[in-house]
Amino acid sequence: MTRSPEHDEPHGAGLGARLNWLRAAVLGANDGVVSTAGLVVGVAGATDDRGALLTAGLAGLLAGSLSMAAGEYVSVSTQRDSEKAALATEKRELQETPEAELAELTGLLEGKGLSREVAREAAVQLTERDALRAHAEVELGIDPDDLTNPWHAAGASFLAFTVGALLPLLAIVLPPSTLRVPVTVLSVLAVLAVTGWWSARLGEAAVGPAVLRNMGGGAVAMAVTYLAGHLLGAAGV
């Protein structure tokens, strides 16, 4: 018996959820790596005192992780409020104008390539089964049972930033003073190459541009902050 081919690529809401998770994780980790690396390398340009470097790195880690978590919480809460408001509006319209909503659903299904007759029959069956879910998924692109969770997003961003920030923090305080900056720079560039590759593979995008963007941005940030710290240190500021 011939076996039908399997398809493992994500579709619809699954792809959207996957990309949202990917965005939060990659942005959080990259921000943790780059911002903390820029901070500690900048301080290292002015002083080789391990205590000052550790203090600056920890302060940057805590401030950045909390800021990322708070920002993600506010952003996703706003999105969740919008989704709930849209569902409430749709529920009210289904109660007040059911025939108009049925016609609207028919038109939406027809717009997806179904014939008028098939679209009408599908709309009727979907409405009889769960009218709100049908309109939420077809019209709004929302799964009523899987609304965005601001606490999950905040926690993921906090964790991703913290994990990313730990690398440059450890790289700047553990080696001898003469090796701190080279070790940090090389470690950060290596991690940014990995996260660029990882994000491209999960997002099914080109690997090369993603890696180059990550590494290039990190290199520029560290170069600028090191130069600024070196000039300020030389000036005795």
Side-chain angles (χ1 to χ4, degrees):
M1 182 172 65
T2 303
R3 187 177 182 182
S4 61
E6 294 182 358
H7 300 279
D8 60 358
E9 70 271 19
H11 297 281
L15 176 60
R18 180 177 176 180
L19 293 179
N20 283 336
W21 170 83
L22 173 63
R23 174 189 61 83
V26 171
L27 286 179
N30 278 357
D31 281 353
V33 172
V34 175
S35 63
T36 306
L39 177 62
V40 296
V41 167
V43 175
T47 179
D48 61 358
D49 181 70
R50 180 178 274 108
L53 294 170
L54 180 60
T55 300
L58 285 174
L61 185 155
L62 290 173
S65 59
L66 291 172
S67 175
M68 282 288 295
E72 196 70 15
Y73 178 83
V74 170
S75 174
V76 176
S77 292
T78 301
Q79 179 182 346
R80 184 183 178 90
D81 291 343
S82 298
E83 291 173 345
K84 292 172 70 175
L87 288 173
T89 299
E90 199 64 40
K91 184 176 182 179
R92 185 179 67 252
E93 291 176 347
L94 285 167
Q95 293 173 343
E96 296 175 353
T97 56
E99 288 301 321
E101 291 299 300
L102 179 60
E104 181 182 35
L105 183 58
T106 300
L108 290 170
L109 293 173
E110 190 177 3
K112 292 180 180 293
L114 300 180
S115 67
R116 181 68 180 178
E117 294 75 15
V118 173
R120 175 73 180 187
E121 178 60 26
V124 170
Q125 291 188 22
L126 288 172
T127 299
E128 291 175 348
R129 179 176 300 175
D130 191 333
L132 181 59
R133 173 177 291 279
H135 281 267
E137 294 180 348
V138 177
E139 181 181 348
L140 304 176
I142 298 174
D143 183 349
D145 297 328
D146 190 26
L147 299 182
T148 52
N149 190 313
W151 289 108
H152 289 173
S157 294
F158 181 90
L159 181 61
F161 188 99
T162 299
V163 170
L166 283 175
L167 172 85
L169 177 58
L170 295 175
I172 204 70
V173 299
L174 293 181
S177 59
T178 55
L179 297 177
R180 285 173 185 163
V181 173
V183 167
T184 302
V185 170
L186 292 177
S187 300
V188 167
L189 292 180
V191 169
L192 291 177
V194 171
T195 58
W197 171 86
W198 177 67
S199 64
R201 288 298 300 272
L202 287 180
E204 299 181 357
V207 172
V211 171
L212 291 176
R213 282 195 300 267
N214 270 14
M215 295 181 67
V220 170
M222 288 185 288
V224 170
T225 55
Y226 180 81
L227 178 60
H230 181 72
L231 293 176
L232 290 173
V237 177

